[in-house]
Amino acid sequence: MGTKNLFSNEAKQKIKELAEDIDIAIMETNLGSKPSHTIPMSTKEVDDEGCIWFLSNKNSEHNSYLNSDKSIQLIYSKPSDMEFMTVYGHAFITTDRTVLEKYYGKSDDTWFDGVDDPNLTAIKVIPEDAHYWDTRHGKFASLLKMGIGALTGKKQDLGEEGDLELHSPK
């Protein structure tokens, strides 16, 4: 697997591509404690700035932790396509009506009583550090290439991994 670090707009695009393709992230809050708090969350969007958006209940445990410590870790994993990403950043909770209307969908009725639910909030994650692993070829092709490599002793192109820096290197 080759290393390809991405910067600025390329990094934002890669975060968007993987987060929206994988969709479900394990959101980790209360990072300073053991154990930390983890919960699966559905990604609503990655905006043009590379910020990742979720909907959440204002009374949830993770919202409570974010109110006292903005640090957050997101772990994305799609083993079927051999795509993975970790994102560390800071999260901000909003009840801005425009934001809630933008991200609320019919499937959210499972957790909320519509967009007017007083417990509805949105979480904006601003990435500070991210890393990805992406085979580009899917699981079957990667396993086939690993087998070829084992038989021939020659390294195979299994994809790439690297850091995702939203700001250009200094």
Side-chain angles (χ1 to χ4, degrees):
M1 185 163 282
T3 299
K4 184 176 180 185
N5 296 325
L6 301 176
F7 301 94
S8 205
N9 288 335
E10 280 186 303
K12 290 175 192 173
Q13 187 57 40
K14 190 63 158 180
I15 289 173
K16 181 175 183 66
E17 173 191 322
L18 289 173
E20 291 181 358
D21 181 50
I22 297 171
D23 180 31
I24 302 297
I26 297 298
M27 178 183 285
E28 184 179 13
T29 57
N30 198 29
L31 299 181
S33 297
K34 293 181 185 175
S36 60
H37 178 262
T38 58
I39 186 169
M41 297 287 285
S42 178
T43 304
K44 289 297 182 177
E45 178 190 39
V46 179
D47 66 22
D48 293 339
E49 298 304 312
C51 298
I52 305 168
W53 289 88
F54 302 90
L55 290 180
S56 184
N57 189 306
K58 79 174 184 180
N59 298 317
S60 66
E61 201 170 349
H62 51 278
N63 273 40
S64 175
Y65 289 128
L66 291 172
N67 282 324
S68 60
D69 180 3
K70 304 285 182 217
S71 299
I72 193 167
Q73 180 83 28
L74 302 173
I75 302 166
Y76 287 90
S77 175
K78 190 173 185 183
S80 62
D81 289 342
M82 300 294 282
E83 296 176 333
F84 309 93
M85 180 173 63
T86 62
V87 177
Y88 170 81
H90 288 89
F92 299 88
I93 299 169
T94 183
T95 57
D96 181 288
R97 177 75 181 190
T98 306
V99 172
L100 299 179
E101 287 176 352
K102 178 178 181 179
Y103 295 121
Y104 195 89
K106 188 70 177 154
S107 63
D108 297 311
D109 287 345
T110 303
W111 293 275
F112 301 101
D113 292 328
V115 73
D116 295 318
D117 189 322
N119 294 316
L120 179 63
T121 67
I123 298 174
K124 176 183 182 179
V125 176
I126 301 173
E128 289 188 18
D129 184 63
H131 196 87
Y132 75 101
W133 299 263
D134 187 359
T135 63
R136 298 181 312 229
H137 307 294
K139 186 176 183 178
F140 178 75
S142 294
L143 291 173
L144 182 62
K145 287 182 176 198
M146 283 189 257
I148 291 170
L151 290 172
T152 65
K154 295 180 181 177
K155 288 189 177 189
Q156 301 292 306
D157 175 16
L158 297 177
E160 59 193 26
E161 57 96 13
D163 292 328
L164 298 168
E165 301 291 335
L166 298 181
H167 307 287
S168 296
K170 295 175 183 170

